[in-house]
Amino acid sequence: MKIGNVEITPLLDTAAEGGTRTLFPYIADDAWAPYAQYLTHDGHRMAVSISSFLLRSGGKTVLVDTGIGAKDRAWFPNGRLPDAIAEAGVRLDEIDIVLATHMHIDHVGWHTTKQGDAFVPTFPKATCVFDRKEWEYWTDPAVANAPGNEHIVDCVLPLRDATKIDLVEGEHHVTDEITLLPTPGHSPSHISVAIVSAGEAAVIIGDVCHHPAQVTEGWSPIFDMNPALAQQSRAKLLQKIEDERMTVIAGHFAHPGIGRIVRVEGRRHWRAM
């Protein structure tokens, strides 16, 4: 699709399933009744896409998030992002900028690829852009080496001596048409990616929402590191989306994850395009 002059290509790295009780343990089963169309046959499981997005803006090729990777994680199927990029007619060395909305395991997986006993940048000519506070939190040795954060050790830390890293703050402009928006709470300094061009606007929401039900209900999943702050960021971004009539691009909604926020009887709802 295009937003003004920016071309956007959704890329599916992989897909998985999660239980409603696992992902949203504080939400009663009957609260899911209005969202049955999004659940699998037993009514207690949901499909979760793990998608990335390739943007072409101002002569730059920008990749937003890199999925789960192919490092044989215990709880995730290996991804296929490099193949998806090739199918889109793009070489890995043509990508100029790699953005991470945050540093959870399913958003930095393909930042590196295993080569022998080492992990090397998957996108050899790209500048890797991270929010400074997000980088500082996850690369602190006490955090990076904590159990469960192995993805920082093999996907993020190897970048330090192997590629250009740009640590940015606040509403940083990646190109004249792409701006990073602070949306903290899901992770210490989670960002969303606004695309504004030729009178049109969209936003890649990262993990502000994992599921369409959150557009209506505002629920926080178990993965929100600061649920109260995440709810504030969610409410603020959804209001901005409505006020500015932005297209929504959601990496965990059913692929390709592109849609609109609409009002039905005064409540927000997700409508896929």
Side-chain angles (χ1 to χ4, degrees):
M1 66 173 299
K2 293 191 77 172
I3 294 294
N5 298 315
V6 179
E7 181 182 294
I8 303 169
T9 304
L11 303 166
L12 182 63
D13 185 41
T14 190
E17 269 199 354
T20 57
R21 297 166 182 164
T22 301
L23 298 177
F24 295 89
Y26 311 111
I27 306 304
D29 287 349
D30 58 5
W32 285 97
Y35 311 103
Q37 71 268 31
Y38 298 116
L39 305 179
T40 55
H41 64 280
D42 65 359
H44 297 298
R45 296 189 67 77
M46 64 184 73
V48 179
S49 296
I50 299 178
S51 296
S52 303
F53 300 94
L54 196 67
L55 314 179
R56 292 188 183 273
S57 170
K60 298 292 186 181
T61 300
V62 181
L63 180 66
V64 180
D65 287 333
T66 65
I68 194 66
K71 297 179 174 73
D72 300 318
R73 307 293 186 195
W75 299 104
F76 294 93
N78 282 338
R80 61 178 307 274
L81 181 61
D83 290 337
I85 292 172
E87 290 161 6
V90 178
R91 300 192 316 271
L92 300 184
D93 63 3
E94 290 181 294
I95 295 175
D96 301 297
I97 299 169
V98 177
L99 302 177
T101 57
H102 61 299
M103 289 191 185
H104 281 168
I105 190 171
D106 52 333
H107 293 262
V108 295
W110 282 107
H111 272 62
T112 65
T113 301
K114 190 169 186 180
Q115 192 175 93
D117 294 328
F119 293 94
V120 301
T122 305
F123 311 98
K125 297 183 179 180
T127 296
C128 292
V129 177
F130 298 98
D131 179 273
R132 181 179 297 276
K133 291 180 181 178
E134 187 82 0
W135 172 272
E136 290 175 349
Y137 173 83
W138 288 105
T139 60
D140 180 277
V143 175
N145 295 306
N149 290 341
E150 292 81 7
H151 67 288
I152 300 298
V153 174
D154 58 34
C155 295
V156 176
L157 297 185
L159 300 172
R160 290 189 294 192
D161 300 319
T163 194
K164 182 179 178 182
I165 295 172
D166 192 4
L167 302 182
V168 303
E169 300 178 28
E171 292 193 5
H172 175 79
H173 294 280
V174 178
T175 71
D176 290 342
E177 300 163 308
I178 300 173
T179 303
L180 307 185
L181 302 178
T183 47
H186 176 68
S187 69
S189 201
H190 181 284
I191 57 173
S192 299
V193 182
I195 303 159
V196 180
S197 176
E200 297 181 334
V203 60
I204 299 172
I205 65 172
D207 282 9
V208 169
C209 293
H210 288 72
H211 190 276
Q214 292 175 272
V215 172
T216 307
E217 306 291 350
W219 298 335
S220 273
I222 197 168
F223 301 117
D224 282 353
M225 297 174 69
N226 184 333
L229 182 57
Q231 286 182 331
Q232 292 175 19
S233 291
R234 190 174 301 116
K236 182 179 179 181
L237 184 62
L238 290 173
Q239 188 62 57
K240 179 181 177 68
I241 288 166
E242 282 195 294
D243 291 345
E244 300 181 18
R245 304 179 64 84
M246 303 175 88
T247 298
V248 178
I249 305 173
H252 288 314
F253 291 12
H255 189 76
I258 298 172
R260 296 277 189 180
I261 304 299
V262 299
R263 286 272 176 173
V264 179
E265 297 181 352
R267 304 189 75 196
R268 293 187 182 107
H269 291 271
W270 163 258
R271 179 175 292 168
M273 293 172 62

